[in-house]
Amino acid sequence: MAERTVFQSISRKHVLSVLPQATIRDAARVMARANAGGVLIMEPPDSLLGILTERDLMTRVLARGLNPDVTSVREVMTPNPICVPPETLVSDAVVLMLERGFRHLPLVSGNKVLGVFSALDALPREIGAAFGQVEFNEQVNDSMAG
């Protein structure tokens, strides 16, 4: 069976986004309504500026004691997120996320944002393949360092 691409695997085929001047509370409400773990920060017409995730809300807002009613998403978002094309294989996307330590990956074709791949969109076999690749990469890096 051929492996799925990230675009084939995403559960939400529309782009969830807010403007950079939106407040943290506004972004959290958008995420809660959509039951999403992240939201893209975009400026019209289609300019991707960053991403804001549940982890960002915890570490960059709550832990710092910022007021979600006056803090803009621009102040705490992850700017210029790593993006992948829609034809990226799921296991390759999961490897990238494991190695870089994040769980959301915007899908971009040309200048158009198509959606966000989440680690939750991957099937167990795809995650297993990714873990195998990460272990192999670590073994190769260790043997080259020593």
Side-chain angles (χ1 to χ4, degrees):
M1 172 185 250
E3 186 177 348
R4 299 178 310 154
T5 66
V6 288
F7 187 73
Q8 292 170 324
S9 70
I10 59 175
S11 53
R12 184 174 287 109
K13 298 290 185 189
H14 68 278
V15 177
L16 192 62
S17 67
V18 297
L19 295 170
Q21 62 269 25
T23 67
I24 295 300
R25 186 167 313 279
D26 293 335
R29 285 180 178 147
V30 167
M31 291 165 59
R33 273 194 299 269
N35 193 30
V39 64
L40 298 178
I41 314 309
M42 297 183 68
E43 277 188 322
D46 290 321
S47 181
L48 176 61
L49 301 178
I51 188 169
L52 182 74
T53 67
E54 293 167 323
R55 184 184 293 171
D56 296 329
L57 294 175
M58 182 181 61
T59 60
R60 297 179 185 170
V61 178
L62 291 174
R64 292 183 190 168
L66 298 179
N67 183 339
D69 293 314
V70 298
T71 305
S72 72
V73 294
R74 184 188 296 274
E75 296 174 60
V76 296
M77 70 181 185
T78 299
N80 306 312
I82 294 172
C83 301
V84 296
E87 62 274 7
T88 302
L89 296 178
V90 169
S91 61
D92 291 338
V94 173
V95 166
L96 178 63
M97 291 189 299
L98 287 169
E99 290 179 342
R100 298 310 265 299
F102 50 80
R103 293 177 263 185
H104 297 87
L105 197 54
L107 309 182
V108 177
S109 180
N111 290 330
K112 184 166 176 55
V113 178
L114 303 175
V116 176
F117 175 76
S118 165
L120 297 175
D121 292 323
L123 296 174
R125 65 181 165 81
E126 294 163 332
I127 293 171
F131 272 113
Q133 184 63 48
V134 168
E135 288 175 6
F136 174 77
N137 292 349
E138 289 172 353
Q139 290 174 356
V140 169
N141 289 338
D142 289 347
S143 69
M144 296 179 89

